[in-house]
Amino acid sequence: MIEILTGISISYSAQIGSDFYIGHFGGIIINASAVIGNNCNISQGVTIGVSGRGEKRGVPIIGNNVYMGANAVIVGRIEIGDNSVIAANSLVVNNVEPNTTVMGVPAIVINNNTSKDYI
């Protein structure tokens, strides 16, 4: 019922840290095996899910203080470092180092700005 009313699908088994902030209504999907750190900010349309083949198949581990922009897709057995920014409409399929901003399809590092002003 909650998924229908809010457009947000978060499994009870997803591991989500404290101070998790959902900025806008709708279209958010978080896989049941996802791990999300403390003080993260997620925008509308974000998908955190399973992808990959063989040893790369899995679900992301997202660090602390991560900002995920609108319609970002973060998939596969990858790690998103603390204080990172995932720009809107980005497809993240590789690890993201701490304290960086990634953008694009597939996402690449565009600078070393942190999430400080986003969180």
Side-chain angles (χ1 to χ4, degrees):
M1 184 68 150
I2 302 254
E3 287 180 34
I4 293 168
L5 291 174
T6 64
I8 298 172
S9 176
I10 302 175
S11 173
Y12 70 91
S13 62
Q15 296 177 39
I16 300 174
S18 65
D19 299 316
F20 183 64
Y21 177 75
I22 298 173
H24 300 281
F25 167 85
I28 296 171
I29 299 173
I30 299 176
N31 185 280
S33 299
V35 176
I36 301 173
N38 297 322
N39 201 35
C40 289
N41 184 321
I42 192 169
S43 299
Q44 71 276 10
V46 171
T47 298
I48 300 171
V50 66
S51 185
R53 294 181 181 173
E55 290 186 20
K56 291 196 89 173
R57 185 161 183 80
V59 178
I61 296 173
I62 298 173
N64 299 315
N65 307 309
V66 175
Y67 174 82
M68 294 161 270
N71 299 309
V73 176
I74 306 162
V75 292
R77 183 176 291 170
I78 60 174
E79 293 185 20
I80 308 300
D82 294 346
N83 310 310
S84 296
V85 174
I86 310 298
N89 298 308
S90 295
L91 172 61
V92 184
V93 294
N94 295 306
N95 292 338
V96 174
E97 294 296 319
N99 305 307
T100 59
T101 296
V102 298
M103 180 171 101
V105 178
I108 60 170
V109 175
I110 59 167
N111 61 45
N112 289 352
N113 292 341
T114 70
S115 61
K116 179 181 177 228
D117 294 328
Y118 288 100
I119 303 291

